[in-house]
Amino acid sequence: MNKTTTPRITIGMLRGACKEQRDIFRKEWPEGADVTIENVRRAQELGLTLAWGEHWFTAPARKAYDAARDTAEEAYDAARVPARKVYYAATAPAWKTYLEATAQGRKAYDAATAQAWKAYYAATAPAWVAYHEATATAWKTYLEATATAWKAYRDATAQVWVVAYIASVAEREMQQ
């Protein structure tokens, strides 16, 4: 067994994670993973939840991690505001049409309980399709407008996660 100076996470350390998360980790890193920004970013890409490892942080590392993550989240949220406003403005007419059709569907349900679902879906399906068609461009624009902010948020949280984890390992080693 090779001893490395880089802290590692092994499958055995993931006892509290759900089976799906453990399976993803095991498939990507069957021998365990060094705690590096690259590996944490890869974990994010694979859909692994970083929260399962936060319990390893010492109190000072957790405090620093939370503060840095909160700052990154605030920046991400602020960057989304203009795109969200544009999205809502672009989708408002389609949403109104959908809601009106939904109301008509509810009236059909009240009038004929036995036919309620059929009437509801018949009344709202075209509006729902129209809503999705009308909002597709706005949603794509929103995702494009927020992509840079989302990447910055994920990069920042990956980096601070690694720092907090390594600081926690170092602090525990000093206590031994």
Side-chain angles (χ1 to χ4, degrees), residues 47-170:
L48 291 172
T49 304
L50 297 183
W52 53 255
E54 292 172 10
H55 71 277
W56 296 321
F57 297 167
T58 59
R62 178 59 187 248
K63 185 176 179 180
Y65 172 75
D66 287 344
R69 189 193 62 216
D70 290 348
T71 299
E73 189 171 329
E74 288 167 9
Y76 172 64
D77 287 343
R80 294 185 325 161
V81 169
R84 192 179 301 123
K85 286 180 182 177
V86 170
Y87 173 78
Y88 289 145
T91 62
W95 183 245
K96 182 180 177 196
T97 301
Y98 168 72
L99 290 177
E100 289 168 356
T102 300
Q104 292 171 3
R106 291 298 298 175
K107 287 177 186 176
Y109 175 84
D110 293 339
T113 302
Q115 297 295 315
W117 286 110
K118 183 178 178 182
Y120 176 79
Y121 287 122
T124 62
W128 190 242
V129 169
Y131 169 76
H132 281 290
E133 290 173 354
T135 62
T137 301
W139 182 246
K140 182 179 177 197
T141 302
Y142 172 82
L143 291 176
E144 290 170 355
T146 62
T148 301
W150 179 241
K151 183 180 182 318
Y153 170 75
R154 288 180 55 140
D155 289 346
T157 57
Q159 184 170 357
V160 73
W161 195 97
V162 169
V163 169
Y165 184 86
I166 291 172
S168 298
V169 169

Side-chain angles (χ1 to χ4, degrees), residues 6-24:
T6 303
R8 290 181 62 77
I9 296 175
T10 64
I11 192 66
M13 296 168 74
L14 303 182
R15 285 188 199 101
C18 69
K19 182 182 181 324
E20 178 185 330
Q21 294 277 298
R22 289 191 318 270
D23 289 347
I24 292 169

